[in-house]
Amino acid sequence: MMPQMCEGRVVIVTGAGNGLGRAYALDLAAEGACVVVNDLGVGTHGESGATKGAAEKVVDEIRAAGGRAVANTDDVTDWEAGRRIVQCALDSFGGLDAVVNNAGFVRDRMFVSCTPDEWDAVLRVHLRGHFCTSRHAVDHWRARQKAGSPVDARIINTSSGAGLQGSVGQSAYSTAKAGIAALTLVQAAELARYGITANALAPNARTRMTETAFAAEMSRQEEGFDIYAPENTAPLVSWLCSAQSAEVTGQVFELKGGRIRLSQGWTDSPEIDKKARWSAAELGPIVRRLLDARAPAKPVYGTA
């Protein structure tokens, strides 16, 4: 029998009642992790009670397969709830090694139609939702490190191709996911001293959120390899939560089926330096030269 990748590790997975989160929780448990299955039970647009009991169902699956898990239904956007989620792991399993921030929903809308309430709701669940639980987890890990105990901890965030290159009809969602990619870079830089790594995922998979916008493209395959199955992303999550990933931090992983790559993010292009102030009249030809010299950007989703 092969050794389990996450034996003895304790992992929180938010939004783990369905889709990608469920796949992560099941795979982590199969790899030996003790899992806190967090899910508030809301729908794809944040409607209350749409999937009540989802966390408990995933826990039942894990336990039926011989794994260890507990359900948690706290709201990841609530500061004190974030504390309770972390405490749930400590009380249930005696420790915490990783937080997988997966919870989120969409309010797809063209920018000209997006309302302030929709904008705020999407940014709250994704950005604040990535903050609250992780901040309390970091407080726990930092206290352990300062007390002289070894820390080998993980934060795994969820960005998106929409955040890395934009997506038509998803201005709020794209903004939030871009913020999460930047947050990951900052966390990696700041938290390394405490024994904490931070990485992000940009999965391309079939979930409740993609089934409406990309239903035809991401439909389930009857035969052969199911490229968009959420289970395809789960092994990377288990590896990132394991001790084996200790040297990897500050990365954004893009996945689709069996294809995996690292996002290069924003990077410098060729430049022109006049060694003096430009006049407005000079800048038209200069900008065109810069545009011609740089590598072409990936197109915004929905434009090609």
Side-chain angles (χ1 to χ4, degrees):
M1 182 177 177
M2 293 183 63
Q4 292 175 301
M5 178 75 65
C6 296
E7 183 66 38
R9 305 281 279 177
V10 179
V11 183
I12 293 168
V13 184
T14 70
N18 296 278
L20 285 166
R22 173 181 173 275
Y24 300 162
L26 292 174
D27 198 80
L28 282 160
E31 290 289 354
C34 301
V35 186
V36 175
V37 179
N38 165 266
D39 198 280
L40 188 58
V42 301
T44 56
H45 297 87
E47 59 271 30
S48 178
T51 56
K52 187 177 180 180
E56 289 81 357
K57 290 178 183 177
V58 175
V59 168
D60 288 345
E61 286 186 73
I62 290 173
R63 291 177 176 172
R68 299 179 65 192
V70 294
N72 176 277
T73 57
D74 278 304
D75 182 351
V76 296
T77 70
D78 181 273
W79 175 247
E80 288 303 323
R83 189 193 309 275
R84 291 195 297 271
I85 295 169
V86 170
Q87 195 62 46
C88 178
L90 300 177
D91 292 345
S92 301
F93 303 118
L96 176 63
D97 299 288
V99 174
V100 181
N101 290 303
N102 172 73
F105 58 70
V106 292
R107 299 279 179 89
D108 288 352
R109 195 81 72 205
M110 300 297 281
F111 183 73
V112 297
S113 304
C114 187
T115 69
D117 286 346
E118 289 169 334
W119 181 273
D120 290 346
V122 172
L123 266 64
R124 179 178 176 84
V125 72
H126 290 283
L127 289 176
R128 186 177 170 92
H130 270 62
F131 170 73
C132 292
T133 306
S134 294
R135 219 340 268 289
H136 288 298
V138 167
D139 284 350
H140 167 71
W141 293 326
R142 184 168 176 262
R144 283 182 54 82
Q145 192 265 353
K146 287 184 174 292
S149 298
V151 173
D152 185 30
R154 309 282 181 268
I155 297 173
I156 294 95
N157 295 326
T158 304
S159 184
S160 168
L164 302 178
Q165 66 194 79
S167 179
V168 170
Q170 295 187 314
S171 57
Y173 180 77
S174 297
T175 300
K177 291 303 189 182
I180 289 168
L183 170 65
T184 303
L185 302 181
V186 176
Q187 288 174 326
E190 291 184 353
L191 302 178
R193 73 189 72 178
Y194 305 118
I196 306 165
T197 68
N199 293 284
L201 310 170
N204 198 328
R206 184 175 53 251
T207 69
R208 291 186 303 159
M209 288 193 291
T210 61
E211 281 178 342
T212 52
F214 307 103
E217 178 185 351
M218 292 188 170
S219 59
R220 188 181 302 275
Q221 301 297 308
E222 298 298 330
E223 297 180 1
F225 180 43
D226 186 358
I227 293 175
Y228 294 107
E231 290 77 12
N232 298 336
T233 308
L236 176 60
V237 174
S238 293
W239 184 82
L240 285 172
C241 288
S242 77
Q244 294 187 21
S245 66
E247 303 301 317
V248 178
T249 193
Q251 305 301 318
V252 179
F253 292 84
E254 296 185 77
L255 301 99
K256 180 180 178 180
R259 185 174 68 199
I260 179 172
R261 66 183 174 217
L262 293 174
S263 174
Q264 289 191 311
W266 290 93
T267 187
D268 293 336
S269 71
E271 63 183 41
I272 299 170
D273 187 357
K274 181 184 176 181
K275 306 292 186 182
R277 183 184 301 124
W278 295 98
S279 70
E282 294 176 297
L283 286 173
I286 295 300
V287 171
R288 282 189 286 273
R289 283 174 58 187
L290 291 173
L291 290 171
D292 290 341
R294 74 171 187 180
K298 293 170 68 174
V300 173
Y301 283 110
T303 62

